[in-house]
Amino acid sequence: MATWTAFTTLPDRASAEALGEALEALTPEPEGVGVFEIEDGSGRWEVGGYFTEAPDETVLALLAAAHSANPFAVSELPETDWVAHVRRELRPVEAGRFFVHGSHDAEKVPEGRVGLLIDAAMAFGTGHHGTTLGCLKAIDLMANEGFEPATVADIGCGTAVLAMAAAIAWPESTVIASDIDAQAVEVAEANLRINGLSERVDCVEAEGFAHPDLESTGPFDLILANILMGPLIDLAPTMAENCRSDGRAVLSGILVQQADAVISAYESNGFRLERRDDIGEWTTLVLRRS
């Protein structure tokens, strides 16, 4: 079945969300609409739609003009099973003791490594992205250094790969994974089952720390948050409230040029920087709560 995409960019979130809503009302109706902040520090937003019938480019042009957006770029995609394609292309990722792999590489886990099976899915976090890799390396290093958190929260967990890594690194810890997106929670729960960790990690749908399980378990010795700069800065005061004194926060989803702003926000809320790891254009921060 043929698929068409239509993408444009806008200067701010409100305009992007308004255009996204308008796009959903089109005929033919799109199969899906996405509204995303562009991760380059520009503050610009992207709106995209996926169609199984060719969209009316005249209508798209009128919509773009009405919402002060750039003209839509419309493309017809070849008939490809993209998830299957990505599964074939994704190679295993090694991060200290962790070996993150797809089902097609299940027999390749090296001796002495811990395998984490994460197939390509809708939720973010296969281990290949510099942000996820940086967090996995931070978990491995903290465990090697003797840090032993009794309680761990993975905020914005995506596939739950970080929560699973924490459960493996610290088998006696209580680990809670949360995500604001219901689909991500479903993916996370499926990954926990596949990896035999459903009994080790509690997975909940929540915005930030707003869930009874998080509220009753916190404050936490370790908080993992691989999201984006804006939400991380917004969460800084709440993160401080939910992190124990002398606890750690591992933060990523941060472009290198954004790191100083995130560090400043957390220093203003009682954290101090312990470690910074730049992988490509992405930064992972390890901070300690005073």
Side-chain angles (χ1 to χ4, degrees):
M1 181 173 61
T3 303
W4 286 263
T5 62
F7 284 90
T8 185
T9 57
L10 301 95
D12 60 80
R13 177 175 183 169
S15 299
E17 290 180 342
L19 179 54
E21 290 180 7
L23 202 58
E24 290 178 346
L26 282 184
T27 301
E29 182 179 349
E31 292 297 309
V33 172
V35 179
F36 308 97
E37 184 175 10
I38 299 172
E39 298 177 355
D40 62 358
S42 68
R44 295 185 63 78
W45 286 69
E46 182 177 66
V47 175
Y50 294 83
F51 301 81
T52 54
E53 296 180 48
D56 187 324
E57 295 194 37
T58 301
V59 172
L60 289 176
L62 291 172
L63 271 182
H67 291 268
S68 300
N70 288 322
F72 276 94
V74 179
S75 302
E76 182 177 359
L77 301 180
E79 295 185 24
T80 303
D81 183 343
W82 288 105
V83 171
H85 174 75
V86 169
R87 284 176 175 167
R88 288 193 299 271
E89 294 298 316
L90 289 182
R91 297 178 180 178
V93 171
E94 299 184 52
R97 75 195 66 195
F98 304 114
F99 186 86
V100 185
H101 62 91
S103 54
H104 55 292
D105 286 319
E107 304 303 319
K108 296 182 180 179
V109 180
E111 186 177 351
R113 299 292 179 90
V114 179
L116 288 172
L117 172 56
I118 306 287
D119 267 325
M122 294 299 291
F124 174 82
T126 61
H128 295 77
H129 199 276
T131 60
T132 311
L133 178 59
C135 291
L136 289 170
K137 291 172 65 177
I139 291 169
D140 181 69
L141 186 56
M142 286 189 294
N144 288 341
E145 291 174 342
F147 180 58
E148 295 186 3
T151 53
V152 181
D154 181 5
I155 304 299
C157 65
T159 61
V161 63
L162 301 184
M164 291 191 290
I168 290 166
W170 299 290
E172 301 302 318
S173 63
T174 297
V175 183
I176 303 179
S178 74
D179 202 286
I180 194 172
D181 182 74
Q183 185 177 47
V185 173
E186 291 178 4
V187 171
E189 290 174 337
N191 284 329
L192 291 168
R193 288 192 298 272
I194 290 168
N195 286 275
L197 292 167
S198 293
E199 301 300 316
R200 286 286 295 113
V201 180
D202 181 19
C203 195
V204 300
E205 183 180 345
E207 182 175 357
F209 293 87
H211 190 279
D213 289 359
L214 290 162
E215 293 165 358
S216 63
T217 305
F220 293 88
D221 297 304
L222 173 62
I223 300 172
L224 309 166
N226 181 15
I227 41 181
L228 293 171
M229 178 190 73
L232 284 174
I233 289 176
D234 292 342
L235 273 173
T238 309
M239 198 82 75
E241 293 170 3
N242 286 275
C243 187
R244 289 188 189 278
S245 177
D246 208 38
R248 309 294 197 279
V250 176
L251 311 180
S252 199
I254 309 162
L255 290 164
V256 169
Q257 63 267 30
Q258 299 171 339
D260 288 344
V262 176
I263 293 168
S264 177
Y266 278 77
E267 286 179 340
S268 298
N269 283 276
F271 288 89
R272 66 179 185 275
L273 180 66
E274 273 209 333
R275 187 178 297 114
R276 171 177 174 169
D277 185 15
D278 293 349
I279 300 176
E281 61 182 341
W282 299 98
T283 293
T284 298
L285 305 174
V286 179
L287 301 117
R288 185 192 292 243
R289 178 81 165 92
S290 300

